[in-house]
Amino acid sequence: MEDMTASYSEICESSVEVGGGSRPSQLELLNRLEGTVTKEGQMISFVADDLEAKLRLASPRGILAALESEACAVAASVDSLTESLSDTLHDISSLTVDCLEVYTGVVCKTCDAIDANIKAMYQLMAKCEELSKAMAPIYHLSGHVKNIKHLLDLIEASPT
């Protein structure tokens, strides 16, 4: 927690004004307030040192008008913040929906590709079995060729 000493007008100058326009003349008295600024994280508080004495010097109507003006500025700021937050959340929701649609499309296409690959693998296995069955007579012929080759080798090796 940080403590700083500043006037109300210095704080108003350093903060962002949302409502725009000029402040009522009754706030001039409040603008000269001295006090302590306390900062806790993102929250900044201002405690005036001599607020009670300044309020006694000011007219009650002026103070009420100034407080009403400040309340309107805060309400406008909250409305603006709420609208901005709503727009941001809408954009985030839209982006989330888009991401889920893309994800769903990718999952569907991946499943389709896997199904097609499995079907192709089974077709390949069936063709391999057919080829193996078709090759059975060739194994028998291979045995005959080896036997003939062996007989030829014997004939060539014998003296004539």
Side-chain angles (χ1 to χ4, degrees):
M1 182 163 64
E2 300 175 19
D3 287 343
M4 299 174 273
T5 303
S7 69
Y8 181 78
S9 60
E10 290 170 342
I11 294 169
C12 290
E13 289 169 6
S14 66
S15 64
V16 178
E17 290 189 16
V18 175
S22 62
R23 296 186 183 273
S25 60
Q26 282 79 11
L27 281 181
E28 291 177 7
L29 181 62
L30 291 175
N31 284 340
R32 292 188 295 267
L33 289 177
E34 293 292 327
T36 303
V37 177
T38 305
K39 183 177 180 184
E40 292 183 34
Q42 296 293 326
M43 184 172 169
I44 299 175
S45 302
F46 175 77
V47 179
D49 293 335
D50 57 352
L51 179 63
E52 191 175 332
K54 298 288 184 181
L55 287 176
R56 287 185 187 153
L57 296 175
S59 69
R61 284 188 196 177
I63 295 297
L64 286 177
L67 288 175
E68 183 179 0
S69 172
E70 291 295 318
C72 287
V74 168
S77 176
V78 169
D79 286 345
S80 174
L81 179 64
T82 303
E83 184 177 328
S84 174
L85 182 61
S86 174
D87 291 344
T88 302
L89 289 175
H90 179 72
D91 292 343
I92 290 171
S93 295
S94 176
L95 183 62
T96 301
V97 168
D98 292 344
C99 288
L100 286 174
E101 288 174 355
V102 168
Y103 177 76
T104 301
V106 167
V107 168
C108 288
K109 288 182 180 182
T110 302
C111 288
D112 292 344
I114 289 171
D115 286 343
N117 287 337
I118 289 172
K119 288 176 185 176
M121 182 185 68
Y122 279 119
Q123 289 174 351
L124 179 64
M125 289 170 57
K127 294 291 182 182
C128 287
E129 284 181 21
E130 289 176 17
L131 183 62
S132 179
K133 287 179 183 176
M135 294 289 285
I138 293 177
Y139 294 128
H140 185 63
L141 287 174
S142 171
H144 285 346
V145 169
K146 284 181 186 177
N147 193 15
I148 293 171
K149 185 177 178 185
H150 178 65
L151 291 174
L152 284 175
D153 286 342
L154 288 176
I155 292 173
E156 288 177 358
S158 69
T160 25

